[in-house]
Amino acid sequence: MSTRTNYYHNSTATFQQAKLIISGDISPNPGPTNCKIYDRTASSSPSSTGSKPNSTRHNEVRISHLNIRSLKCREHYLLLKDFIASKDIDIFTLSETWLNENVLDHEIQIPGFNIHRLDRSHKHGGGVCVYVNEQFKVQSLADISGIFPSGLHQLWLKIQIRNLRSFLVCTVYRPPHSDQLYFRDAVLAFKCMSGLAPVYLSDKLITRSTVSKRELETRNSQMLNIPLFRTATGQKTFYYRTVNIWNNLNNDIKVCIDVNSFRSKLRGVLLDKFKREE
């Protein structure tokens, strides 16, 4: 018995339940069996203020992360507040907080914790923040924190617990269309055009000269044919992104003889772009 599950308009996945049943012992959480497991739910719950550390945990620090997609949402804030209290979290990092200067700290404050924020004020979305137990000493490293022209968010904190050695916590958010993803997709596009990628990927990229004879003698003959995706979901697929990336590359980058030289030239282009935007 098998069923096909639709993910996007151009992709499906097959789930074969019968083979799963006859395959034998299936573990819902596979992994090493000889490691020490901490039962965090067994420890006593924190005080109402959340500021008193649990004496049974000694020097253990509990850190969690969540892509919350709007801390301004009251429901998200209340769920986060309850979760931190129930799991006795010491440090909780958040990405995509969607906060700005109109949201004050006291509106999203959690008792027993200090909040450290990095908001993206010039554009909707993004933003990171960290809730830290108020008994910990925290120093914000402003010189290496910030939002870069590529959209990358970095919030660095130096944290010290009692008399122990301090440690660093970095909360990072990378937008979906940042230069890091662009570089990866561009390299994969070059591999497809050079015959270095799997056939199921390279066969999707068709030049305009193959589609139309009128393009055979034009300067656009080696440009890729742009797929007709009218929906936002279709335009986020690898096929659509790769075609647009390749068509917008300079010809001197496209004619590189190998992957290493392509990466080197593309890295130089992105570095020059970064310097101009500073």
Side-chain angles (χ1 to χ4, degrees):
M1 179 178 65
S2 64
T3 58
R4 300 193 69 82
T5 304
N6 290 322
Y7 282 96
Y8 299 103
H9 68 283
N10 61 345
S11 65
T12 58
T14 302
F15 177 71
Q16 297 182 340
Q17 186 178 8
K19 291 185 178 180
L20 184 63
I21 295 175
I22 66 176
S23 61
D25 185 17
I26 302 297
S27 173
N29 187 23
T33 58
N34 58 350
C35 61
K36 186 177 180 181
I37 304 298
Y38 293 94
D39 185 3
R40 296 183 174 181
T41 60
S43 60
S44 58
S45 59
S47 61
S48 58
T49 61
S51 60
K52 184 178 180 180
N54 194 324
S55 59
T56 62
R57 292 201 278 118
H58 302 292
N59 296 329
E60 179 187 350
V61 179
R62 297 177 180 173
I63 304 178
S64 295
H65 175 78
L66 175 66
N67 187 306
I68 196 167
R69 293 185 62 82
S70 181
L71 186 57
K72 295 188 294 184
C73 175
R74 190 65 180 175
E75 181 182 1
H76 292 181
Y77 164 70
L78 294 176
L79 289 173
L80 173 67
K81 184 178 178 181
D82 292 341
F83 179 83
I84 291 178
S86 63
K87 299 300 181 182
D88 198 11
I89 304 297
D90 297 309
I91 302 171
F92 206 107
T93 66
L94 298 171
S95 56
E96 288 203 76
T97 56
W98 298 5
L99 300 177
N100 53 43
E101 63 275 4
N102 297 324
V103 181
L104 303 179
D105 285 352
H106 70 83
E107 299 179 54
I108 52 174
Q109 188 63 49
I110 295 179
F113 288 83
N114 294 321
I115 184 173
H116 302 266
R117 297 167 47 174
L118 178 63
D119 303 338
R120 183 166 68 176
S121 57
H122 63 282
K123 187 178 180 181
H124 175 72
V128 296
C129 78
V130 183
Y131 287 96
V132 184
N133 190 309
E134 63 182 9
Q135 291 197 344
F136 297 171
K137 297 179 181 179
V138 182
Q139 178 186 355
S140 179
L141 305 180
D143 53 335
I144 57 175
S145 299
I147 301 177
F148 297 89
S150 63
L152 179 70
H153 296 46
Q154 285 190 160
L155 176 58
W156 288 87
L157 300 177
K158 184 178 181 181
I159 301 176
Q160 184 177 11
I161 305 173
R162 294 179 290 279
N163 295 324
L164 302 178
R165 179 178 296 180
S166 60
F167 58 93
L168 299 179
V169 172
C170 179
T171 307
V172 178
Y173 168 68
R174 185 177 65 181
H177 303 292
S178 62
D179 287 341
Q180 291 88 346
L181 295 180
Y182 174 87
F183 184 85
R184 182 200 65 183
D185 289 345
V187 171
L188 190 52
F190 177 81
K191 290 182 178 180
C192 289
M193 298 301 294
S194 304
L196 302 175
V199 177
Y200 70 89
L201 288 178
S202 56
D203 281 354
K204 289 182 174 293
L205 306 183
I206 304 173
T207 59
R208 292 180 180 177
S209 59
T210 305
V211 177
S212 174
K213 293 182 178 179
R214 291 180 299 178
E215 298 280 357
L216 189 60
E217 301 299 331
T218 66
R219 62 180 181 178
N220 295 328
S221 60
Q222 295 306 310
M223 300 280 280
L224 294 177
N225 187 52
I226 301 176
L228 298 177
F229 288 140
R230 295 184 175 87
T231 64
T233 301
Q235 294 175 4
K236 291 179 181 179
T237 60
F238 164 78
Y239 180 23
Y240 189 89
R241 293 197 322 270
T242 304
V243 168
N244 281 278
I245 289 174
W246 182 259
N247 287 346
N248 290 315
L249 287 176
N250 295 330
N251 288 330
D252 60 333
I253 301 180
K254 293 180 181 179
V255 297
C256 290
I257 59 175
D258 55 38
V259 177
N260 289 333
S261 59
F262 178 84
R263 285 174 174 163
S264 179
K265 284 191 175 182
L266 182 60
R267 192 177 292 113
V269 170
L270 294 177
L271 183 59
D272 291 339
K273 175 186 174 184
F274 176 78
K275 291 179 179 178
R276 290 195 303 268
E277 292 177 349
E278 281 187 326

